[in-house]
Amino acid sequence: MSVDVKYRTSATTTGGRDGTARTDDGSFEVKLSTPKELGGAGGDGANPEQLFASGYSACFLGALKVAAAQAKVKIPAETIVNAKIGIGPRSEGGFGITADLTVTLPGIDKAEAQKLVEAAHQICPYSNATRGNVDVGLTVA
């Protein structure tokens, strides 16, 4: 598989899960903290799973807009994508993640919404990156 890269970005993390992450262009910086559920102190910092949930939900909404445009369907401005990301030990060893996306498309017939969500799942770069590696659930609310 080849990708015709149109945009590239980078970020640097220091201190691991209890450090900081910053994009190299300085447009984004975040304090990190490990959740208590993973043996950390918790705290007011974000964690990689929250960042992944934010990125996946934003990217999936963008893919949903592309899928809607291709189907000649106007999606409402109030459309919401919620991503719930889980993390825990894998039976094979190491850790793994899960993703559950819930999409709310007000005013769109549920069957039509389901088709758009499935199409977006084929378009979204996060979905393509995780396919076959992460259990991803798709729900139309």
Side-chain angles (χ1 to χ4, degrees):
M1 174 191 75
S2 66
V3 176
D4 180 16
V5 175
K6 301 294 185 191
Y7 171 75
R8 188 180 308 272
T9 189
S10 62
T12 302
T13 298
T14 57
R17 284 184 164 266
D18 292 304
T20 59
R22 178 181 184 275
T23 57
D24 292 348
D25 68 2
S27 65
F28 176 76
E29 185 169 350
V30 64
K31 177 183 173 187
L32 303 170
S33 62
T34 303
K36 290 181 181 180
E37 297 86 349
L38 295 178
D44 60 354
N47 61 62
E49 293 71 38
Q50 291 169 318
L51 299 174
F52 187 75
S54 298
Y56 201 167
S57 61
C59 190
F60 198 87
L61 184 51
L64 191 60
K65 290 178 179 181
V66 171
Q70 290 174 348
K72 297 183 179 16
V73 174
K74 182 170 174 27
I75 63 169
E78 301 81 21
T79 298
I80 297 170
V81 176
N82 175 270
K84 287 184 176 50
I85 303 299
I87 183 172
R90 295 175 352 126
S91 58
E92 301 87 351
F95 285 80
I97 59 172
T98 62
D100 290 291
L101 304 178
T102 302
V103 180
T104 305
L105 282 156
I108 304 278
D109 171 75
K110 191 159 185 167
E112 178 86 25
Q114 187 67 44
K115 287 179 187 174
L116 291 172
V117 167
E118 289 171 12
H121 191 47
Q122 297 305 310
I123 295 168
C124 178
Y126 277 69
S127 292
N128 288 327
T130 59
R131 189 169 288 109
N133 298 307
V134 174
D135 290 333
V136 177
L138 300 173
T139 303
V140 175

